[in-house]
Amino acid sequence: MADAKVIPFDEDRPRRRVGAPRTVRAVPEPPEPVEPVAQAPARRGGDGGWDRRIAGGLAFLRRRITGEYEVDEFGYDKELTDQVLMSLMRPLFDKYFRVEVKGVENIPKDGGALIVANHSGTLPLDGLMLQVAVHDHHPAERHLRLLAADLVFMLPVVNELARKAGHTLACAEDAQRLLEAGELVGVMPEGFKGIGKPFGERYKLQRFGRGGFVSTALRAGTPIVPCSIVGAEEIYPMIGNAKTLARLLGVPYFPVTPTFPWLGPLGAVPLPTKWTIQFGEPIPTDGYAPEAAEDPMLMFNLTDQVREQIQHTLYKLLVQRRSVFF
């Protein structure tokens, strides 16, 4: 139908001889327009879209089986992260938590930078969503290398996946090497104090440690980008902590929420809250002398500056928020 020629009605009408009786003909209805949606599958098959996807998937599996893929010295597997891990996290980011990202232009287009964010939510889903936010919303599709706690690398399966996704141990040496290599590094200084705090203390920042992340940024001469995350606090409202059970399991806390452990595995499903991730203006560190990293007063002041900026932005976002879920 798309190739048929539509002949105008005037050309289709027979010529009338002079004096001949005029005949009346019904005007034919114009042909129905071809819906582009109906042709979409044909076009997709025609231009080889599905073929390319299948071929790419088979090639990916072949490289996995034969071991023809690369990982860096920290175990980061870029291909696996882009094609598999990001694809698994993206529906959670886009459809479930409906994350709104602001201020992504404050992240440098290239070169090293340290992104410092608040930490919450009982389980560290905020770190994963932060990774997706940076990769999918930054014009350069940059990858965020998160600094994770020791416990992450002690858990089976989780340890391997964390390494593949670009996470590394939260130590100054690894962080500095990544920053000097021009990578984006993410850190959540509250640690378990932030992620395991009770629901009554939501959005109240805990201590930021002794400012080790500031010292690392000063040594590398990279900017610090404060980041505020709203929405993660409510995914697992922690109303209690079974400390005895936590000690037996060797974990920092054992959360008790309105649904866990009462509903069993269903209690582990996070609530579908509406998230906002906002990146603040970067704080430069390249203007300081190399020995500035050893100045405790400077580290304290910069740490406090970052913390106050994150806390102020959290309060601002909470005031603007219409609802926890919408």
Side-chain angles (χ1 to χ4, degrees):
M1 183 180 291
D3 297 331
K5 179 181 179 181
V6 178
I7 303 175
F9 173 62
D10 288 343
E11 295 182 12
D12 188 43
R13 187 170 55 201
R15 298 182 181 275
R16 185 168 54 91
R17 297 192 305 273
V18 178
R22 182 183 181 90
T23 58
V24 180
R25 294 179 56 192
V27 178
E29 294 183 0
E32 295 182 0
V34 178
E35 294 288 342
V37 176
Q39 289 190 0
R43 287 199 304 268
R44 201 158 47 212
D47 64 8
W50 285 111
D51 293 342
R52 284 199 300 270
R53 291 185 184 182
I54 295 172
L58 292 175
F60 173 79
L61 290 175
R62 181 185 61 77
R63 288 192 295 272
R64 293 287 120 184
I65 295 172
T66 59
E68 297 175 5
Y69 58 91
E70 296 181 358
V71 297
D72 70 6
E73 57 182 314
F74 298 96
Y76 172 49
D77 189 333
K78 183 179 182 299
E79 183 184 47
L80 181 69
T81 300
D82 285 347
Q83 297 196 25
V84 178
L85 301 182
M86 282 288 177
S87 298
L88 293 174
M89 294 187 291
R90 200 165 281 125
L92 197 63
F93 182 94
D94 291 329
K95 305 299 183 182
Y96 197 77
F97 294 132
R98 297 146 290 147
V99 184
E100 180 182 1
V101 180
K102 300 180 178 180
V104 73
E105 67 276 2
N106 290 316
I107 301 175
K109 295 180 180 179
D110 50 37
L114 184 67
I115 296 178
V116 183
N118 58 305
H119 205 13
S120 63
T122 306
L123 291 180
L125 295 182
D126 52 357
L128 301 179
M129 296 302 102
L130 185 59
Q131 272 192 294
V132 180
V134 172
H135 181 269
D136 286 5
H137 288 263
H138 194 277
E141 297 184 351
R142 302 201 64 182
H143 292 82
L144 181 66
R145 310 292 294 272
L146 286 171
L147 302 180
D150 298 4
L151 179 61
V152 172
F153 301 103
M154 295 169 60
L155 299 173
V157 182
V158 175
N159 166 32
E160 188 68 19
L161 287 176
R163 289 287 185 189
K164 296 288 187 183
H167 303 177
T168 189
L169 194 63
C171 66
E173 293 78 11
D174 285 358
Q176 186 171 347
R177 285 163 61 194
L178 286 169
L179 288 172
E180 290 175 347
E183 298 282 357
L184 278 182
V185 178
V187 62
M188 296 173 163
E190 291 177 282
F192 290 120
K193 299 188 301 294
I195 198 175
K197 63 177 177 288
F199 187 66
E201 297 181 14
R202 61 191 180 279
Y203 298 115
K204 296 178 182 178
L205 292 184
Q206 305 298 300
R207 228 176 123 256
F208 267 25
R210 292 172 290 182
F213 68 91
V214 171
S215 175
T216 302
L218 286 169
R219 286 191 174 93
T222 54
I224 300 172
V225 181
C227 176
S228 302
I229 304 174
V230 165
E233 292 276 14
E234 295 91 358
I235 60 173
Y236 296 111
M238 186 169 165
I239 57 177
N241 179 14
K243 296 182 179 180
T244 302
L245 189 55
R247 283 196 294 270
L248 290 174
L249 295 174
V251 293
Y253 55 87
F254 188 88
V256 177
T257 75
T259 58
F260 183 82
W262 325 115
L263 299 182
L266 284 177
V269 177
L271 296 177
T273 57
K274 175 73 171 64
W275 288 35
T276 301
I277 298 178
Q278 179 161 336
F279 300 97
E281 293 186 7
I283 300 171
T285 63
D286 53 355
Y288 295 97
E291 58 271 14
E294 307 299 332
D295 185 347
M297 187 57 66
L298 176 62
M299 283 195 296
F300 174 81
N301 290 336
L302 285 176
T303 301
D304 192 56
Q305 180 183 349
V306 174
R307 187 180 181 278
E308 286 300 317
Q309 188 169 334
I310 295 173
Q311 184 70 82
H312 176 75
T313 303
L314 285 175
Y315 288 147
K316 183 178 177 181
L317 292 174
L318 287 171
V319 169
Q320 296 172 350
R321 184 169 66 167
R322 295 179 302 168
S323 165
V324 173
F325 299 101
F326 304 102

